[in-house]
Amino acid sequence: MNESSEEIYNGLLAKIDETVKLIEECRRLPDISGKSKLQRKIEAELKFLKRLTKNRDKLKVEHIRSSNIYHLSAIVRSCIEMQGVIKVLETFSYVIEDEEEETYEVSLTVDIVADYGKTWVKVATRNPFHLYQASVGHGKYGRKSIIEQIEDMIECAEHNHHMFAAPNIVVRLAAGVTKELKELLDELGVQVIGEIVSSDSEENVNVTCNKQHELVDSLENQLTSLENIHLNIDEDSEPCSSDIISSESTEESSFFNLQSIPSDAVLNLDVSTFLAYVSNMTNGHCHAKYKEKLLMDLAEMERAHPVKPVLDQLFQGRKLVCCETAHRDFLEILSTVGGETEKQRASEMLGKVSVVSDNPSPKALALEKTSKIKERSKIVFGTGDSMKAVTVSANLGFLRAAQSQGIKFVAFVHESRALTECKELKNADDN
């Protein structure tokens, strides 16, 4: 039975109301990487639906049944339900080789990165029977089946390790999954989450799904059009102003946070971490005065975001190491600009750190030297890479520069601090 124009219009209004509520749900999500992108996509869908109200006479039920809003809704629900969600709609890249042995870079968007980076989640909302039929060769020409999409995710994961291992793949099927499709997915070694749908249930599936999915491409193009309308530590003992990591920086989301680091992880300490940990500024002297504006700026950052408590929490219960180069260079800097109290702290800290031989990994040695990629950093991060350790550093500049050359390192990034004891102004005459 065909729906009347009034029923279709009321259905549109209901969908608009649902989308408004979905935007609010999205806003209440934690501040994860990609949240704003997800919200913009939902808002673009809302604009599209509102535009449909202006053409009431031409409104069709298929216009409302765009699968895009269902997919976005399922992503928001999954973010709420899953543990350790740190990214959403995150794009990863990897290099593949074609039959003619030519290589090229491919990008892949992962719906959700969960378990603090250990798990990639694919969210699917299509009719489970259509998903299965497409997977056995009866899908729309040119559109990848879910099996092919998961195979791409697996290959991409192999090129984007988390803690030196490929992320686990989870497929969440909001509309359910047929037994046959689950078996195909199980063969790929991925986890499948979704209610098993009996083949006998197929006749109960709304027949309008066929029309719905035929319109997905054109509707998504309209949504896209609507969207369209509408610190770095160098090798020196002190950071320059461009090296300071803002506490509001989103760049750090590319690296580890405290929750994402395993309790048994080995931590490889960079020179910048030693400096930050023993600095007078991070040990109760953040209200001191300095002649240099840079140090005054660092002190202000320290008052707002103390570094040492973060490092203390990170270090607790974990093995600490540093390579010979980091150990030697830290001691040289300490002897040159360190104060007596800072030297005392350094002695206590070094007593808890094991010094290992320099052993940079091949990928670190392969990095081309630039203003941000220098020999010491290659040795420090490369040794951590060889040890499968998390390198702790304030040297975001090196990490970004390495990424621009296609090389990623496992790292925890903190704000930079300098040795300041000898530069504190003792009285007004020092000005």
Side-chain angles (χ1 to χ4, degrees), residues 203-235:
E203 60 186 29
N204 297 322
V205 177
N206 194 328
V207 294
T208 59
C209 284
N210 285 319
K211 292 181 179 180
Q212 170 186 330
H213 294 296
E214 287 172 2
L215 287 174
V216 168
D217 289 335
S218 61
L219 289 170
E220 286 183 345
N221 288 337
Q222 293 179 61
L223 293 175
T224 301
S225 298
L226 281 169
E227 277 192 275
N228 291 337
I229 292 175
H230 304 102
L231 170 64
N232 312 329
I233 292 291
D234 208 325
E235 299 297 312

Side-chain angles (χ1 to χ4, degrees), residues 154-174:
I154 292 171
E155 184 172 5
C156 185
E158 287 294 340
H159 290 80
N160 290 273
H161 283 191
H162 170 85
M163 282 301 298
F164 307 99
N168 302 315
I169 307 295
V170 171
V171 187
R172 290 177 65 102
L173 298 132

Side-chain angles (χ1 to χ4, degrees), residues 363-380:
K363 76 177 187 183
L365 294 174
L367 285 169
E368 180 182 346
K369 288 186 181 180
T370 67
S371 61
K372 292 295 182 183
I373 295 180
K374 297 186 178 179
E375 192 62 25
R376 186 178 78 194
S377 297
K378 289 170 65 173
I379 293 172
V380 172

Side-chain angles (χ1 to χ4, degrees), residues 425-431:
L425 299 179
K426 304 303 180 184
N427 52 59
D429 294 336
D430 290 337
N431 289 300

